[in-house]
């Protein structure tokens, strides 16, 4: 009641209301500045601490001084200026200490700072009261003084503690209210402790003078000015931070990855991509611990790209890739982190698909060559016995040619499906490419492999309904056994292939086991094919030259270039063995070009302008660029066109007579002569002679070897020579080895000869004009 009586009877209520206004506004500002200081980094804390000390001290002092001006004890009063100024300084220092202590990181820092605030307010109040002077007797009530101190300390500690609580209404509302109550309780309880007994009563002492009113207004104005400065600074800082947050929000929202800003272990900002990953509505993640959304977040280190999982609320955890960056230092020294979270589901699915494609055929879904080789290596290491089946589809090319590749792909997928269905436990089927399949079959006996092959063959032959037709493929299967046929995986594959090719060429069986003796010929063909490529790349071919001479005069008319393939041991492989293989594999084109270029180059360097004859393969003759190639070689080597003679066989013209004739005419236009080689062994000699005007006919060597065998050979030779004479085409007889053969040809009017009688082929052409001495005077 004493406090209330003091308030209602001894104070001017108008000034009390002004003091209360200052107190309320100042308490709100002080609370905001304390929170700002507490949340600022150590580097940015000092300016806010200074501003808080100024604003808080001014608030307390202005509230106290205006309230003191409102106090009317019934006597004239005055205030000592030094003590009054000292009380303002104490208020500012006390607020600075209180805010600084409350913002520290030790336990109970806020209540300790609040207690310091209460003590500072108390010191300011009683220093200010000591500046009070009047013509009266001043009596203090110690109980009220103690009560005011307790109220200030307890209220300050409670207010600062509440100011650190982020729950709704506590920090923004309850903390300022407690500060107001603390200041009010201190002041009016302290004023209730004061009793003023006038020595000489004054009639005007109870009225508010104009000077006092002006002084109160001035103090209030100064207080509000200081508070306005603090509020303006706070507002500018808040605006700057808001703009920064808006820019950061716009930045992270523009990212396709999830972006999260975390401070004090809680989500402060999250973009739409992250909330979508979490399976929640926007805003639901704000304020929650980051551990609620990201697994093993403690193990994530700034600067490293790491994988984790997001705990989605509406499904299974989402695999993500997270990059963490430490941006600034927040409240209580805790770092502010920015998490970039990338959804890995699409990439992992793509990686699984790529891994699947790397080990499986994209068309059929069967394991591919890589998987097959790995499986074969494992079996070769661990298994005791198994069979490798090399499977090739029959008549598959016909399906592609007749119905197109789309239907062919459907047929391959159909075959693959039935192969998988026919495969038993422990068996393995793969597609190597095209229409080639393989199977690995565990076996105990040899016939187990044959039974498995027959089962797979029947599965392959299952018809497919497509294009209004029933499409069906057969198969040729070669079987190689481990370890009976091979103890190396590569050799086993080769053996199975050899057996498969034998099955493909067989008319009686579709399944063949590998047999070394029967498959050695195929192996030899493969070795020769590989050797041809090596010889071509490393220039291991040679040209030998066989002399051609006139029967009538014995003069050398030219040389035929013969290709030879020398081996490392000095032996030669017969052209009859490697030329057919070169034609089958297409190597005859680069080999033929090499022969033509080398023969022309060497002939161009001869002292005498002898003619050089070069054989053309049917494959070369069918190539449309042959005339251009010949022309280019003649230009490069400098050989005169009339010195080059190209020899072709009859069979080379049969496949496409019109096209071949066109190419030969282009060659004739270059000035090159064309000879028909091996005449008499083809299928349409007379029609060929009629289709193209050859420059020479070469009689095949077989007629010379059979010359002594009976009258038929002599009759054929006479007929050919007569045909050449009637067509005005010179005849050259090959394979002349005896004087009797030469004499017969001279008697029948043959133009030219070549053979061992004139000389064997040599590495270099014999540079001479006549061979009469070597042939017992051929002329």
């Amino acid at each position: 009641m004493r406090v209330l009586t003091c308030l209602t009877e001894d104070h001017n209520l108008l000034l009390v209301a002004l003091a209360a206004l200052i107190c309320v506004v100042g308490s709100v500002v002080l609370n905001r500045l304390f929170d700002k200081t507490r949340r600022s980094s150590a580097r940015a804390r000092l300016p806010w601490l200074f501003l808080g000390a100024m604003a808080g001290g001014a608030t307390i002092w202005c509230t106290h001084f205006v309230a003191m001006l409102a106090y009317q004890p019934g006597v004239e009063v005055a205030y000592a200026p030094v003590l009054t100024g000292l009380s303002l300084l104490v208020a500012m220092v006390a607020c600075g200490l209180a805010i600084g202590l409350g913002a520290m990181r030790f336990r109970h820092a806020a209540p300790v700072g609040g207690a310091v605030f209460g003590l500072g307010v108390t010191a300011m109040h009683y220093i200010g009261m000591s500046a009070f002077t009047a013509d009266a007797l001043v009596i203090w009530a110690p109980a009220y003084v103690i009560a005011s101190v307790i109220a200030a300390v307890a209220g300050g500690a409670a207010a600062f503690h509440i100011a650190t609580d982020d729950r709704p209404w506590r920090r923004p509302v309850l903390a300022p209210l407690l500060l107001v109550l603390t200041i009010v309780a201190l002041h009016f309880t302290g004023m209730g402790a004061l009793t003023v007994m006038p020595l000489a009563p004054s009639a005007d002492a109870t009225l508010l003078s104009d000077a006092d009113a002006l002084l109160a207004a001035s103090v209030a104005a100064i207080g509000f000015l200081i508070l306005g400065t603090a509020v303006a600074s706070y507002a500018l800082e808040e605006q700057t931070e808001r703009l920064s947050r808006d820019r950061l929000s716009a930045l992270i929202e523009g990212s396709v990855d999830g972006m999260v800003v975390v401070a004090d272990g809680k989500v402060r900002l999250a973009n739409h991509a992250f909330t979508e990953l979490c399976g929640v509505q926007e805003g639901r993640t704000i304020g929650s611990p980051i551990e609620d959304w990201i697994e093993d977040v403690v193990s994530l280190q700034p600067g490293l790209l790491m994988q984790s999982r997001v705990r989605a609320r509406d499904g299974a955890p989402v695999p993500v890739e997270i990059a963490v960056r430490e941006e600034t230092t927040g409240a209580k020294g805790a770092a502010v982190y920015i998490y970039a979270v990338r959804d890995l589901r699409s990439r992992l699915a793509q990686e699984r698909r790529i891994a699947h494609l790397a080990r499986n055929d994209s068309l059929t879904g069967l394991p591919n060559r890589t998987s097959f080789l790995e499986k074969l290596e494992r079996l070769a290491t661990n298994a005791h016995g198994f069979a490798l089946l090399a499977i090739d589809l029959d008549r598959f090319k016909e399906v592609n040619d007749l119905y197109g590749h789309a239907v062919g792909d459907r047929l391959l997928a159909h075959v693959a499906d039935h192969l998988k269905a026919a495969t038993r436990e422990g068996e393995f089927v793969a597609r190597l490419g095209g229409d080639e399949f393989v199977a690995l079959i565990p076996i105990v006996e040899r016939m187990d492999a044959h039974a498995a092959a027959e089962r797979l063959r029947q599965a392959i032959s299952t018809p497919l309904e497509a294009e209004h037709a029933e499409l069906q493929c057969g198969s040729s299967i070669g079987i190689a056994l481990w370890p009976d046929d091979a103890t190396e995986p590569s050799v086993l594959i080769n053996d199975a292939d050899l057996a498969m090719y034998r099955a493909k060429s067989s008319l009686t069986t579709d399944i063949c086991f590998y047999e070394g003796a029967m498959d050695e010929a195929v192996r030899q063909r493969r070795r020769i094919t590989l050797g041809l490529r090596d010889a071509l790349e490393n220039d291991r071919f040679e040209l030998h030259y066989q002399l051609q001479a006139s029967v009538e005069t014995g003069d050398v008319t030219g040389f035929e270039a013969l290709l030879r393939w020398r081996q490392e041991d000095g032996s030669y492989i017969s052209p009859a063995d490697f030329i057919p293989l070169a034609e089958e594999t297409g190597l005859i084109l680069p080999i033929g070009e090499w022969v033509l270029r080398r023969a022309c180059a060497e002939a161009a360097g001869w002292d005498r302008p002898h003619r050089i004859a070069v054989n053309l393969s049917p494959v070369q003759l069918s190539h449309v660029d042959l005339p251009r190639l010949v022309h280019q070689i003649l230009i490069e080597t400098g050989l005169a066109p009339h010195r080059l003679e190209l020899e072709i066989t009859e069979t080379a013209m049969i496949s496409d007579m019109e096209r071949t004739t066109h190419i030969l005419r282009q060659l004739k236009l270059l000035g090159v002569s064309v000879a028909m080689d091996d005449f008499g062994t083809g299928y349409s000699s007379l029609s060929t002679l009629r289709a193209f005007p050859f420059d020479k006919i070469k009689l095949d060597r077989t007629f010379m070897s059979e010359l002594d065998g009976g009258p038929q050979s002599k009759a054929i030779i006479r007929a050919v020579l007569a045909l050449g004479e009637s067509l005005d085409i010179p005849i050259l007889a090959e394979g002349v080895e005896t004087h009797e053969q030469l004499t017969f040809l001279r008697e029948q009017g043959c133009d030219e000869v070549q053979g061992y009688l004139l000389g064997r082929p040599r590495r270099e052409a014999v540079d001479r004009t006549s061979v009469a001495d070597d042939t017992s005077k051929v002329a």
Side-chain angles (χ1 to χ4, degrees), residues 478-509:
I479 304 175
L481 305 180
W482 179 280
D484 298 345
D485 296 328
T487 56
E488 291 292 335
S490 58
V491 177
L492 187 71
I493 295 173
N494 190 55
D495 292 346
D497 282 342
L498 293 175
M500 182 269 292
Y501 285 121
R502 184 156 46 85
K504 204 169 187 66
S505 61
S506 175
L507 299 177
T508 59
T509 182

Side-chain angles (χ1 to χ4, degrees), residues 400-418:
N400 268 342
D401 294 341
L402 290 175
Y403 301 100
H405 290 280
V407 176
D409 289 345
R410 285 181 57 190
L411 182 58
L412 285 175
H414 171 79
V415 168
D417 290 340
H418 283 79

Side-chain angles (χ1 to χ4, degrees), residues 41-277:
S41 62
R43 185 179 301 174
R45 185 173 294 175
L46 187 59
W48 290 110
L49 184 63
F50 174 77
L51 193 59
M54 294 291 293
T59 297
I60 300 168
W61 186 83
C62 288
T63 300
H64 165 77
F65 198 78
V66 172
M68 288 298 297
L69 289 176
Y71 180 58
Q72 297 173 349
V75 295
E76 291 288 343
V77 298
Y79 297 93
V82 176
L83 292 176
T84 302
L86 180 61
S87 66
L88 175 60
L89 179 62
V90 169
M92 291 181 176
V93 172
C95 281
L97 289 174
I99 294 174
L101 288 172
M104 289 184 177
R105 292 182 294 172
F106 64 88
R107 189 178 182 184
H108 305 309
V112 170
V116 171
F117 174 80
L119 291 174
V121 172
T122 303
M124 181 277 306
H125 175 78
Y126 286 106
I127 291 175
M129 288 299 296
S130 65
F132 177 84
T133 59
D135 190 13
L137 179 64
V138 179
I139 302 173
W140 292 92
Y144 282 88
V145 173
I146 295 173
S148 67
V149 174
I150 294 174
V153 173
F160 271 57
H161 176 70
I162 295 298
T164 61
D165 194 336
D166 290 331
R167 285 179 289 181
W169 295 100
R170 288 179 175 264
R171 179 174 56 80
V173 177
L174 188 56
L177 181 59
L178 284 174
L179 283 175
V180 171
L181 293 177
T182 298
I183 296 171
V184 170
L186 168 67
H187 180 82
F188 289 106
T189 303
M191 294 303 295
L194 180 65
T195 300
V196 179
M197 298 179 65
L199 297 179
S202 176
D204 299 328
T206 58
L207 300 177
L208 179 64
S209 66
D210 293 339
D212 292 339
L214 181 61
L215 180 59
S218 300
V219 170
I222 294 173
F224 280 122
L225 178 62
I226 296 174
L227 290 175
T229 303
V231 170
S233 300
Y234 181 85
L236 289 174
E237 177 68 15
E238 284 294 310
Q239 183 181 13
T240 302
E241 289 188 355
R242 183 170 62 254
L243 290 175
S244 178
R245 286 195 299 269
D246 290 343
R247 286 195 296 267
L248 180 60
S249 178
L251 177 64
I252 68 174
E253 283 296 341
S255 175
V256 296
D257 294 330
M259 300 291 291
V260 189
V261 178
V262 177
D264 298 330
K266 294 184 179 180
V267 177
R268 302 301 180 187
L269 196 61
N271 66 351
H272 175 72
F274 182 74
T275 56
E276 192 174 34
L277 275 177

Side-chain angles (χ1 to χ4, degrees), residues 763-778:
R763 180 66 186 85
E764 295 181 356
V766 179
D767 190 11
R768 51 187 173 175
T769 59
S770 174
V771 292
D773 296 338
D774 294 339
T775 59
S776 301
K777 297 182 180 180
V778 171

